[in-house]
Amino acid sequence: MAGGALPTALLVACLAAAAAAADDLEQAAMPAEESRVQPMTASNWTLVMEGEWMLKFYAPWCPSCQQTDSEWETFAKNGETLQISVGKIDVIQEPGLSGRFFVTTLPAFFHAKDGIFRRYRGPGIYEDLQNYILEKKWQSVEPLTGWKSPASLTMSGMAGLFSISGKIWVSIKFKE
Ligand SMILES: *[C@@H]1O[C@H](CO)[C@@H](O)[C@H](O)[C@H]1NC(C)=O
């Protein structure tokens, strides 16, 4: 397993009221339709290095992430036409991958083309993103650097601060 013998304890502390999140969870329950969004983990991350991808980093308890779920699914259904793979990364399950991208805001979207990553900052998801791919708008965005080095996968004592719709969430991973 990439990441090695790592910590097991994961503490998620919520510094704000979580009640709102519970409401959003109900809405997020989607019909059991086959999803075209591929969950990516550290073990199959190498697949992302080839071809063209759009990736969403999210946390299961993040309301603003859930709000993008159905649009992300719709976008993914169009993936074949756009010749693009669509994936998602749970930052709680995969702290190493999110740490590599210095993801601090959720949800966070990235475009990947043959291993070159760019942050996608919107404005929208479905239509805007289709144009972004079709018109290759990503070409005018500065690619990320430094992600490639395995050394950037430093896991020990990793802590992440996520800001979600104005609320601050903290996740801390402890070293054993
Ligand atoms: C990557 O691995 C996860 C967990 O095993 C799996 O659910 C997912 O389908 C895999 N994705 C691809 C594209 O193989």
Side-chain angles (χ1 to χ4, degrees), residues 21-145:
D23 289 349
D24 282 284
L25 268 177
E26 277 174 40
Q27 291 170 11
M30 282 193 297
E33 204 183 318
E34 200 186 323
S35 172
R36 291 292 182 87
V37 179
Q38 316 194 42
M40 301 309 294
T41 65
S43 60
N44 55 21
W45 184 246
T46 49
L47 293 172
V48 174
M49 299 301 156
E50 281 168 29
E52 193 169 7
W53 287 78
M54 275 305 306
L55 302 164
K56 169 168 124 171
F57 286 76
Y58 72 102
W61 36 256
C62 151
S64 48
C65 299
Q66 289 155 9
Q67 277 160 19
T68 62
D69 277 352
S70 64
E71 260 193 289
W72 197 242
E73 288 292 337
T74 314
F75 173 68
K77 290 207 175 73
N78 246 330
E80 228 165 287
T81 317
L82 295 170
Q83 294 184 302
I84 194 167
S85 307
V86 179
K88 61 177 181 180
I89 296 100
D90 181 336
V91 300
I92 302 302
Q93 297 291 329
E94 304 294 331
L97 294 181
S98 45
R100 202 193 301 214
F101 285 88
F102 302 105
V103 174
T104 54
T105 316
L106 298 174
F109 302 94
F110 290 89
H111 172 262
K113 172 102 171 147
D114 302 326
I116 309 288
F117 290 83
R118 290 171 168 88
R119 183 90 183 250
Y120 175 73
R121 297 183 183 276
I125 293 178
Y126 186 52
E127 271 187 39
D128 294 317
L129 199 43
Q130 290 210 87
N131 292 337
Y132 182 82
I133 303 300
L134 287 172
E135 293 166 23
K136 295 191 167 43
K137 287 186 180 166
W138 47 267
Q139 281 175 333
S140 59
V141 180
E142 193 72 17
L144 302 179
T145 52

